[in-house]
Amino acid sequence: MSIEPHTNRQTAMYADIIKTSEEVADSREGRIEHSNIRLPGLFWVVILICMFSL
C-alpha cells in the first residue's frame, strides 16, 4: 500500500517516521554484528542426546 501525505505536517511526520525506522534498523544490525553470545556446548550435547533418544 502506498502512503502519500497531503499536508506539510503529514509530510514532515512521514519523513520523520521513515528516518526513525531506518535508525532502528541500523541499530538492530549493529547490535547483531557486535553480539558475541553463543549457545553453550552443554546445550548442543543435550539436544543431541534428545535427538538420539527419540
Side-chain angles (χ1 to χ4, degrees), residues 9-10 12 18 23 34 42 44 46 48 52:
R9 183 172 184 253
Q10 289 177 342
I18 297 297
E23 289 174 357
H34 294 297
L42 179 61
W44 295 112
V46 171
L48 288 174
F52 288 123

Side-chain angles (χ1 to χ4, degrees), residues 5-27:
H6 298 290
T7 66
N8 289 338
R9 183 172 184 253
Q10 289 177 342
T11 303
M13 289 175 63
Y14 180 75
D16 198 32
I17 290 170
I18 297 297
K19 178 184 166 198
T20 303
S21 66
E22 289 175 359
E23 289 174 357
V24 168
D26 290 341
S27 174

Side-chain angles (χ1 to χ4, degrees), residues 36-54:
N36 293 325
I37 299 172
R38 296 179 11 183
L39 293 173
L42 179 61
F43 172 80
W44 295 112
V45 170
V46 171
I47 294 297
L48 288 174
I49 290 171
C50 290
M51 285 180 56
F52 288 123
S53 67
L54 289 175

